[in-house]
Every structure is written in C-alpha cells, then in structure tokens.
C-alpha cells in the first residue's frame, strides 16, 4: 500500500483482483469488529479502493473514515461515496476502532505509524492489524508489492509494546495460506511469476 514513506507502489490493479476473494475479506472484517456492538466510529487505515469498508457498510451498517494517500485508489473511494482523508492527522475526533489490513508492512517506519494511530483512539479504543507473517515466506511477490518486512509474533508484540499498546490478542491465522505460500515460493524459483492468477486466488479463497 502506498504511503508518504513508500510513494511508488499503489497496487490498485492487485486490490481490484483481491476483491474476488469474498471469504477472505469477510473473515478479516468479522475478526476486526468481533461482533462488538459498541464499535461505532471506525478508521480504515490504508483503505485502498474500499474493499473492506464496503463490507463494513453493507454488513454492519457503519460508515468508516478511509485513510488513503494514492490518488488512483481515492478515485474508487470517491465513486463509492466514502468519507476519505489522505492523512490520519486530518481526523478531527477520536474513534473506537482503527483497523488496517496488509498495510503496515509497506511502511518503512512502522513504529512511528503505530504511535500516530494511538493518538486517534479513544480511551477504550482498539487497534486491529492484519499482517503478512514469517520472513521464511518472503518471495519475489513481497518485493513486487513493496513490502519492507513480514512479521513474527515476537517482533510484533515488541513493536506494539514500545508504541504504547496493550496487546489483547496476537496470533497467526490462515494455516492453509502458509503452505500455499511455501509452494508459491518454490514455484517462483522456476517460473518467476510476480502475482497469482485469479483462478489461483479463487481456489485459495474457497478453501
């Protein structure tokens, strides 16, 4: 995901493709909101084209504030009639939830970003992060999409601690994805493909 610290990659084409992964996207949103009826004011940090915000709107009847820096992606947000800002510093009030899916790994100074996020959460506010795990899974795809890192449980816990967050829940998810990515890594050694096909993503999303 593009950011001020990583302005080259916007990933719009990939974001459009990933919208076909209905189960994957719904699972992330469900985990973020966790049936918490007290969550009302929400920030989608690194909203992209609004894929997850659309689910929040349709399934939970809430209107998140979308933070997105890329103009191509903002065009989608505008067409989808989302409230969007280019910088979280433009948010005028504290919120109940900041969720960010597959974004922090694109930002060079992730600690600075987390500290900034914390300022916009209310006293009982929650930060939800969904991130790519395990450097052992690092492939050419990570390079193509502009990742600085993949995360380990221990490093992420330390990062949250020093950024002023109390960790409530921290775990790996998607065990199937772990093995699929290992296979993809091996496959790439021979064929040097940069991105999975739509049929591959649909297969992954189904199971």
């Amino acid at each position: 995901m593009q950011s001020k610290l990583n302005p080259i990659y916007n990933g719009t084409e990939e974001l459009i493709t990933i919208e076909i992964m209905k189960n994957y996207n719904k699972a992330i949103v469900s985990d973020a909101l966790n049936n918490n009826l007290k969550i009302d004011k929400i920030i989608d940090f690194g909203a992209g084209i609004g894929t997850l915000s659309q689910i929040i709107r349709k399934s939970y009847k809430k209107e998140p504030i979308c933070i997105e820096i890329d103009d191509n992606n903002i065009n989608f947000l505008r067409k989808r009639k989302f409230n969007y800002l280019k910088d979280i510093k433009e948010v005028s009030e504290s919120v109940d939830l900041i969720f960010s899916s597959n974004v922090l790994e694109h930002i060079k100074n992730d600690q600075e970003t987390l500290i900034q996020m914390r300022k916009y959460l209310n006293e009982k506010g929650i930060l939800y992060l969904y991130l790519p795990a395990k450097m052992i899974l690092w492939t050419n795809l990570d390079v193509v999409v502009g990742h600085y890192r993949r995360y380990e449980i221990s490093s992420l816990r330390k990062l949250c601690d020093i950024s002023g967050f109390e960790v409530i829940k921290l775990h790996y998810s998607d065990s199937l994805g772990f093995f699929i990515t290992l296979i993809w890594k091996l496959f790439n050694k021979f064929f040097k493909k940069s991105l999975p096909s739509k049929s591959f993503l649909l297969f992954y999303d189904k199971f």
Side-chain angles (χ1 to χ4, degrees):
M1 194 67 59
Q2 190 184 46
S3 72
K4 288 184 177 180
L5 297 176
N6 185 22
I8 298 174
Y9 175 77
N10 62 53
T12 304
E13 182 179 344
E14 289 76 28
L15 292 171
I16 293 170
T17 301
I18 289 172
E19 282 205 332
I20 67 175
M21 301 174 66
K22 305 295 186 182
N23 295 326
Y24 171 82
N25 292 319
K26 287 180 180 178
I28 292 174
V29 173
S30 176
D31 198 30
L33 272 70
N34 195 29
N35 295 318
N36 190 337
L37 299 178
K38 294 181 180 180
I39 292 176
D40 184 38
K41 298 177 182 178
I42 302 170
I43 289 177
D44 180 354
F45 185 87
I49 61 175
T51 300
L52 301 184
S53 284
Q54 282 198 125
I55 297 172
I56 290 177
R57 171 186 279 169
K58 292 178 180 178
S59 300
Y60 297 89
K61 311 303 179 186
K62 300 180 187 296
E63 287 292 329
I65 300 169
C66 295
I67 307 297
E68 178 57 48
I69 194 172
D70 180 72
D71 289 333
N72 289 330
N73 294 339
I74 285 173
N75 285 335
F76 278 85
L77 296 175
R78 187 181 294 116
K79 290 175 182 177
R80 291 172 169 179
K81 302 185 185 305
F82 281 112
N83 177 18
Y84 65 87
L85 300 169
K86 280 198 167 186
D87 196 317
I88 194 170
K89 293 178 183 178
E90 299 174 33
V91 175
S92 60
E93 58 184 341
S94 61
V95 300
D96 305 308
L97 170 69
I98 299 176
F99 82 89
S100 184
S101 173
N102 295 304
V103 174
L104 203 61
E105 68 275 11
H106 294 275
I107 299 174
K108 188 173 183 179
N109 193 333
D110 50 1
Q111 181 182 338
E112 179 182 317
T113 300
L114 287 183
I115 291 172
Q116 192 67 41
M117 286 180 179
R118 196 177 184 317
K119 295 178 182 178
Y120 293 91
L121 286 170
N122 61 36
E123 186 177 345
K124 295 184 179 179
I126 297 170
L127 171 66
Y128 176 88
L129 300 172
Y130 191 90
L131 302 166
K134 292 291 184 183
M135 283 301 295
I136 193 176
L137 297 180
W138 186 270
T139 69
N140 186 54
L141 179 58
D142 290 285
V143 178
V144 169
V145 300
H147 288 178
Y148 282 101
R149 68 195 74 80
R150 283 174 165 268
Y151 288 88
E152 307 288 342
I153 286 286
S154 57
S155 62
L156 185 56
R157 182 181 296 278
K158 181 178 179 180
L159 176 64
C160 290
D161 286 343
I162 61 179
S163 300
F165 289 95
E166 176 188 356
V167 178
I168 299 172
K169 183 179 179 183
L170 181 59
H171 64 92
Y172 293 116
S173 64
D174 188 11
S175 57
L176 177 63
F178 177 87
F179 294 105
I180 287 178
T181 307
L182 279 179
I183 294 170
W184 177 259
K185 185 174 183 177
L186 178 62
F187 179 79
N188 257 344
K189 286 184 179 180
F190 300 101
F191 297 100
K192 303 298 182 184
K193 286 177 67 66
S194 58
L195 293 169
S197 65
K198 287 186 178 181
S199 57
F200 180 91
L201 292 175
L202 285 170
F203 170 82
Y204 166 78
D205 190 54
K206 182 178 180 179
F207 293 100

